Amino acid sequence: PGLSVQVARSQRVVVRGFTVNREWVEVEAEDIVARMMQHEIDHLDGITMVDRLATRQMRRNALRFWFKLHPELEA
């Protein structure tokens, strides 16, 4: 069992970056692919789903729930 939360995401994204050969690349995506790209970019930036929750109270509730599921992780 895990924690599932609703995270606001854009429906359309344009992602720019470099190829392994250091050439510029630009990718446009919509719908589920756009959401997936945003999710993976969050991983690269060290952003968690809890960081994306709208309010402090939502973050607190999500973390409390997580630690109830995994008491061995609580400090």
Side-chain angles (χ1 to χ4, degrees), residues 12 36 62 70:
R12 182 178 177 280
M36 291 167 45
H70 301 281

Side-chain angles (χ1 to χ4, degrees), residues 6-56:
Q6 291 289 343
V7 176
R9 300 279 189 196
S10 298
Q11 286 293 109
R12 182 178 177 280
V13 295
V14 178
V15 178
R16 294 180 188 94
F18 290 102
T19 68
V20 294
N21 298 323
R22 298 184 180 182
E23 297 169 349
W24 278 102
V25 63
E26 181 175 288
V27 177
E28 295 183 39
E30 294 182 359
D31 303 320
I32 189 68
V33 176
R35 292 179 60 83
M36 291 167 45
M37 292 179 87
Q38 291 168 85
H39 172 86
E40 295 305 327
I41 290 169
D42 277 353
H43 282 303
L44 294 171
D45 291 339
I47 297 170
T48 68
M49 65 182 182
V50 174
D51 296 326
R52 291 282 183 205
L53 292 175
T55 67
R56 174 183 258 166

